[in-house]
Amino acid sequence: MTAPEPGRGIGNGERTAEQTTTFGFPRDTFRILHVSTGNVCRSPITERLTRHFVAERLGVLGGGLIVESAGTWGHEGAPMEANAEAVLAEFGADATGFTGRELLDEHVIMADLVLTATRDHRAQVISMGHSAGLRTFTLKEFTRLVRAIDTTTLPPLEDGVVARARALVRAAAALRGWLLAPTAEADEVYDPYGAPLPFFRSIGDEIHEALDPVVTALTGVAARM
């Protein structure tokens, strides 16, 4: 299995033998994989905003958290859409160095949490196998579940963001099936590909609104007012 390339996450993605299990998986990292269709609009925005908001809350990048993205019909090697870059710039997030990726088995295998733009993406990830069902959610589904979790029951940040993140995913998975979406469309982030900048901005705002409680729960730090 080929590990996702270094440099796509918070931290450089490289691992020493002492940092891995006997199966080659890291002991001290937590990988979030954002998935959309082309990996040039929604998932790049979500990936880079996640990194940006975590760094804002914690004041540093790292802590074992790795944030990546890929597309079910990914434009391998393609740059991010210009309007997606513009939206990230308006949030103060860094869009540099991004290249699109096609979703591969190893991305799903390595991920500790997969957040998809739509229910169809979620179904495609789960259909790949690799016991992905309990750790794959749409972004808005995960947000809804996280809002219902008593974050005081999660490990404190002093125990590390990795331990807290793993507990958060377990708690969210336990709630699935109990907290249903009011409508099927409520769990969707629609594709802005080819749309004008105002529509990209609206999608960026949706993603920001969905990410905020997730990053707060993950880090234990609320957004600055």
Side-chain angles (χ1 to χ4, degrees):
M1 152 174 46
T2 302
E5 63 268 30
R8 288 298 301 270
I10 293 177
N12 63 17
E14 297 176 342
R15 303 189 302 277
T16 65
E18 291 76 15
Q19 293 173 312
T20 59
T21 69
T22 54
F23 298 101
F25 294 103
R27 301 177 191 273
D28 56 355
T29 62
F30 185 92
R31 289 180 180 265
I32 300 174
L33 176 67
H34 293 291
V35 175
S36 62
T37 303
N39 193 216
V40 292
C41 298
R42 288 167 291 181
S43 52
I45 291 173
T46 315
E47 173 196 322
R48 294 305 176 96
L49 284 183
T50 302
R51 295 191 198 182
H52 179 65
F53 294 143
V54 169
E56 275 191 333
R57 307 295 174 86
L58 298 182
V60 295
L61 299 181
L65 189 66
I66 298 170
V67 185
E68 306 172 305
S69 63
T72 55
W73 290 87
H75 299 181
E76 188 73 30
M80 192 185 309
E81 282 288 292
N83 283 342
E85 288 191 4
V87 166
L88 288 172
E90 290 173 0
F91 280 105
D94 184 11
T96 59
F98 182 88
T99 54
R101 301 193 305 178
E102 182 178 356
L103 181 67
L104 302 176
D105 286 271
E106 56 257 37
H107 301 146
V108 177
I109 291 168
M110 296 287 284
D112 297 288
L113 171 63
V114 184
L115 297 175
T116 69
T118 69
R119 292 167 295 149
D120 283 345
H121 296 134
R122 180 185 64 194
Q124 288 181 64
V125 171
I126 292 172
S127 74
M128 295 171 73
H130 315 303
S131 303
L134 289 176
R135 51 195 167 89
T136 303
F137 310 79
T138 74
L139 171 63
K140 289 186 175 180
E141 174 192 19
F142 193 66
T143 300
R144 184 175 68 255
L145 299 172
V146 164
R147 288 184 186 275
I149 294 169
D150 179 0
T151 56
T152 64
T153 64
L154 300 176
L157 190 58
E158 290 76 14
D159 289 354
V161 70
V162 169
R164 189 175 175 93
R166 294 191 191 285
L168 184 66
V169 173
R170 288 194 299 269
L175 287 173
R176 184 153 50 186
W178 295 92
L179 295 175
L180 302 179
T183 65
E185 291 73 24
D187 281 344
E188 306 279 291
V189 176
Y190 291 107
D191 193 355
Y193 185 76
L197 182 56
F199 188 68
F200 268 83
R201 285 191 178 117
S202 71
I203 294 300
D205 288 341
E206 277 187 45
I207 291 171
H208 170 234
E209 184 178 349
L211 280 176
D212 181 68
V214 172
V215 175
T216 297
L218 190 65
T219 63
V221 181
R224 299 188 184 98
M225 299 300 292

